[in-house]
Amino acid sequence: MAAPDTASADTVAQRPTPESCGLPVSEGISWLELMAADSRPAPEVLTTPSYQNRGSTPIAAARYTSEHFAQLERERMWPRVWQFAAREEDLPEPGDYVVYENAGRSFLISRQDDGSVRAMHNVCLHRGRKLRTEDGTADRFVCPFHGFAWNKDGSFNHMPCKWDFAHLDENKLALPAVEVGQWGGYIFLREEPGGPSLEEFLAPLPDHFKRWRHEECVTVMWVGKEVPANWKVTAEAFMEAWHTVVTHPQLLPFTGDCNSAYWTWGDHVNVNLVPFGTMSPHLDPAGKSEQWIVDQFVKYNGRSGDNYDTAADPYAVEVPEGMTAREALGAKIRAAYTAQTGYDHDHATDAELLDALVYNVFPNFAPWGGFMPNIVYRWRPGKTPDTCIMEVRILMRVKKGEKHPRGVPMKFLRLDQKWTEAPELGILGDVFEQDMDNLPYVQEGLHASKTGKVQLGNYQEIRLRQFQQTLDQYLGIPEGSDGAAA
């Protein structure tokens, strides 16, 4: 039986309010109030705040510009964290492999005959050439320089002119292995063994995503781009929603930017819950109907009807009398998503069908929660502290009963190209370009800063604060410092 269209007064009264949780409140309806008014009962993961004030220590600007700081990251942080390296659909068959490169390292991630995944350093142990530069399929990795060869599990296979290498023990020539972890269709690696397990590192993310089942999804779109800004500058631009009022004004008619919730857990996981289908408190609601909100959402929401295998655009909604924009959009998308996937989604809340439930896992992995086509971000440092690679994947649920297909390859955009040159992104390309209008000048400003400090808000930028404090722990430096004494 379908859930009631609105939450009861008793249910609303029992839900915690921002005030009762000690959280600051902006003008307009709060996130928790939106959850209480959702047309379906919201899960606890969306109604249980997790916030603590983490102080107001400024951040050294040099953290984003200094080669010394980047070197500390390469030596002390990157080898010791779980990195999102690939999706299962990137290498579905035995022999398939992915080349994953980050922070000066190159790795081969290889599917074995028994379906397991192994990862190893992508460097020939003879003269140091990379064994592979592109993804592919192979049972052996033969070095293109002299022909030294390794099996797909990293064990040594063959060397030419063996007589000239009597000093080498073939039993000790396996490619150096790295740890592999798998969760939710994602493949992670960690270069240095030890530390928390993947499950411990990700917690509580796996519990939150049980409803959203990313393991049933496949990559249908993947665009990467070189960005003229530090990887942390770029990642942090996607850790808060309140820049919308100036950077993305076209989104304000249907985005509750100031209604967003910001929660953190431990050292590695946080979330920004951004409601859609509700007007920004920055706008005057006079004369603005619920239908107007929907119409603006359809124009600029960044998700196309092309994402849905249906005869009609699920965002083409006429709002019935007495219904909110969120309820009307939720009802239409709920039906379309159920039809598309073959799974019953009657329990899905409006929030899970509409909103940007943007999780971050330290240091550079950001999967969206919910049931809509899911966005996944990844950021990697560039060749200098002033550049990085940003990637955007779109995941779609595989229809019930159908075979899991191979994912699409990444389309790469150079530094001189725009996000809009990837037409598959649709209106998202325009939104990202608005962000790009800021990021190069943030990077230049950090170099030019007279104070040498960056200041953060205590609530809306709490995710940035947690991110920077965790980085301090890995680097072993004082909070917010430039690491010069390390």
Side-chain angles (χ1 to χ4, degrees):
M1 185 174 69
D5 287 338
T6 57
S8 68
D10 289 342
T11 301
V12 173
Q14 293 170 5
R15 295 280 173 86
T17 64
E19 294 92 335
S20 69
C21 297
L23 303 184
V25 182
S26 63
E27 294 182 8
I29 188 171
S30 72
W31 172 262
L32 294 178
E33 290 166 337
L34 281 168
M35 293 305 96
D38 201 291
S39 64
R40 301 291 189 273
E44 288 188 7
V45 299
L46 298 182
T47 61
T48 307
S50 182
Y51 169 81
Q52 64 176 7
N53 189 296
R54 290 172 172 262
S56 304
T57 301
I59 305 299
R63 295 165 78 95
Y64 304 95
T65 62
S66 160
E67 173 56 33
H68 174 69
F69 197 88
Q71 183 64 24
L72 288 178
E73 292 175 347
R74 289 192 292 269
E75 292 176 354
R76 301 183 183 183
M77 186 271 287
W78 286 113
R80 293 172 174 81
V81 295
W82 286 103
Q83 302 179 43
F84 162 46
R87 285 275 305 173
E88 299 281 358
E89 65 268 17
D90 297 340
L91 58 162
E93 302 296 334
D96 289 346
Y97 65 87
V98 168
V99 176
Y100 171 67
E101 298 188 320
N102 187 33
R105 297 293 197 202
S106 184
F107 305 96
L108 289 167
I109 304 168
S110 175
R111 181 76 67 183
Q112 305 301 300
D113 291 335
D114 63 0
S116 65
V117 175
R118 294 196 179 186
M120 60 220 75
H121 286 260
N122 178 30
V123 177
C124 177
L125 300 183
H126 171 219
R127 296 271 290 277
R129 190 196 194 279
K130 289 182 181 178
L131 295 170
R132 291 290 185 273
T133 57
E134 297 180 346
D135 302 351
T137 302
D139 286 328
R140 293 194 310 159
F141 299 117
V142 181
C143 179
F145 196 1
H146 295 91
F148 273 61
W150 285 264
N151 300 312
K152 62 175 176 281
D153 64 357
S155 61
F156 185 69
N157 178 274
H158 171 75
M159 69 174 77
C161 298
K162 184 178 178 180
W163 58 267
D164 206 16
F165 294 91
H167 52 290
L168 296 182
D169 183 349
E170 293 188 12
N171 295 318
K172 297 180 180 180
L173 286 180
L175 294 175
V178 297
E179 289 187 297
V180 173
Q182 293 163 270
W183 164 79
Y186 299 95
I187 299 172
F188 298 81
L189 61 77
R190 180 168 59 186
E191 182 180 352
E192 294 294 334
S197 67
L198 177 62
E199 292 73 18
E200 293 167 336
F201 193 92
L202 295 177
L205 193 79
D207 283 341
H208 287 212
F209 277 65
K210 283 179 180 177
R211 281 173 68 93
W212 306 318
R213 310 187 309 278
H214 277 205
E215 65 273 10
E216 295 175 2
C217 298
V218 66
T219 302
V220 297
M221 184 192 313
W222 184 8
V223 180
K225 182 179 175 352
E226 188 175 10
V227 176
N230 185 265
W231 73 275
K232 298 184 294 297
V233 165
T234 307
E236 288 174 348
F238 294 85
M239 290 188 195
E240 45 84 7
W242 75 286
H243 69 276
T244 301
V245 63
V246 176
T247 302
H248 310 298
Q250 79 279 11
L251 308 184
L252 295 177
F254 58 86
T255 303
D257 54 330
C258 288
N259 308 126
S260 299
Y262 298 88
W263 300 341
T264 66
W265 297 272
D267 294 327
H268 298 121
V269 180
N270 59 54
V271 72
N272 181 193
L273 306 169
V274 186
F276 290 152
T278 184
M279 195 183 308
S280 169
H282 292 295
L283 297 185
D284 182 355
K288 305 297 193 300
S289 67
E290 296 297 307
Q291 186 64 54
W292 179 79
I293 295 174
V294 168
D295 293 343
Q296 296 301 303
F297 182 90
V298 171
K299 285 183 186 177
Y300 300 116
N301 76 91
R303 301 187 201 114
S304 166
D306 295 338
N307 295 140
Y308 292 87
D309 185 17
T310 59
D313 187 341
Y315 295 117
V317 173
E318 296 291 332
V319 183
E321 187 70 28
M323 187 176 282
T324 67
R326 279 175 68 82
E327 290 172 322
L329 283 163
K332 187 70 178 291
I333 298 170
R334 187 178 292 110
Y337 199 56
T338 296
Q340 180 204 31
T341 66
Y343 293 96
D344 181 9
H345 285 85
D346 188 67
H347 68 293
T349 62
D350 301 331
E352 293 170 298
L353 295 163
L354 285 174
D355 297 342
L357 314 179
V358 189
Y359 285 76
N360 269 74
V361 176
F362 184 87
N364 65 332
F365 170 48
W368 286 34
F371 290 111
M372 82 291 284
N374 295 91
I375 296 174
V376 180
Y377 299 130
R378 180 171 68 181
W379 300 273
R380 291 179 285 161
K383 294 180 180 179
T384 76
D386 294 325
T387 64
C388 73
I389 303 297
M390 175 175 171
E391 297 171 44
V392 181
R393 289 187 189 233
I394 303 293
L395 304 186
M396 291 281 291
R397 193 169 309 284
V398 177
K399 191 166 186 177
K400 188 175 183 179
E402 292 188 357
K403 183 181 178 182
H404 212 85
R406 184 182 291 269
V408 300
M410 182 176 71
K411 178 176 184 176
F412 186 74
L413 301 173
R414 301 182 309 273
L415 193 64
D416 61 344
Q417 293 181 286
K418 294 182 178 294
W419 286 101
T420 49
E421 294 182 50
E424 57 266 45
L425 288 173
I427 199 69
L428 273 178
D430 296 279
V431 175
F432 292 151
E433 276 306 306
Q434 289 176 316
D435 291 305
M436 296 302 109
D437 287 340
N438 290 323
L439 298 185
Y441 299 107
V442 172
Q443 192 67 26
E444 290 181 14
L446 290 165
H447 277 284
S449 173
K450 174 67 172 177
T451 67
K453 297 178 181 178
V454 172
Q455 304 289 351
L456 299 178
N458 289 337
Y459 182 66
Q460 293 182 105
E461 292 170 341
I462 191 65
R463 302 170 79 205
L464 283 70
R465 177 74 63 190
Q466 180 211 41
F467 170 76
Q468 292 287 346
Q469 289 179 345
T470 301
L471 184 56
D472 292 330
Q473 293 179 44
Y474 277 96
L475 302 189
I477 61 176
E479 181 179 353
S481 72
D482 62 7

